[in-house]
């Protein structure tokens, strides 16, 4: 037979376990927010600035252009190509973090969704052509993942 003391000890233990679980969940939530802030900071870091500036200029240059002109403009200078690859690689890493649940997706979506869609829309033809050239349909697939996920 379970005594009153044993029952009370069991209840106390269960309550303590529940409280510990809640504390751990809150700590995890805070860590995900901190990770999200670091990701936003990485995108705004000084080393990304030249790449982003180049990509902004490229997007202006190729707005409404034919797919071949977009490809040629990006490939015409190493600086253009490197900037596009650097920014798309950042979005690839972002996609992996989101897919794995390693950050606060709500925060990342709020900040990055418009940017991800803009880059994907302006660089879609270049990405498609590069996939063919390299024989890799997975090239920048995490960017595509973010676009699909954040279009819902």
């Amino acid at each position: 037979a379970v005594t009153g003391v044993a029952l009370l000890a069991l209840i106390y233990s269960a309550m303590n376990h529940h409280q510990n679980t809640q504390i751990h969940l809150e700590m995890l939530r805070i860590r995900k927010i901190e990770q999200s802030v670091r990701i936003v900071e990485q995108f705004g870091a000084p080393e990304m600035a030249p790449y982003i500036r180049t990509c902004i200029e490229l997007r202006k240059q190729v707005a409404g252009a034919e797919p071949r002109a977009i490809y040629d403009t990006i490939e015409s200078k190493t600086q253009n190509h490197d900037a596009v690859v650097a920014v798309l690689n950042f979005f690839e890493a972002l996609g992996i973090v989101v897919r794995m649940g390693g950050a606060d997706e709500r925060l990342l979506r709020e900040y990055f969704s418009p940017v991800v869609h803009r880059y994907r829309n302006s660089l879609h033809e270049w990405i498609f052509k590069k996939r063919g050239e390299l024989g890799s349909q997975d090239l920048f697939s995490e960017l595509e993942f973010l676009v699909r996920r954040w279009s819902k």
Side-chain angles (χ1 to χ4, degrees), residues 3 5 8 20 25 31 36 38-40 52-53 82 84 86 95 108 116 121 126 136 144 148:
T3 67
V5 173
L8 188 58
N20 285 342
L25 288 173
R31 281 192 205 114
S36 300
R38 282 192 294 277
I39 292 168
V40 170
I52 293 170
R53 271 194 303 275
D82 291 351
V84 167
L108 294 175
V116 164
N121 290 340
W126 181 84
S136 173
E144 300 292 338
R148 283 190 311 274

Side-chain angles (χ1 to χ4, degrees), residues 62-92:
V62 301
E66 294 295 318
R68 182 68 195 179
I70 294 170
Y71 180 85
D72 290 344
T73 301
I74 293 170
E75 294 296 319
S76 67
K77 294 182 187 172
T78 302
Q79 175 186 349
N80 292 351
H81 178 270
D82 291 351
V84 167
V85 170
V87 172
L88 293 179
N89 281 342
F90 176 87
F91 292 137
E92 285 295 282

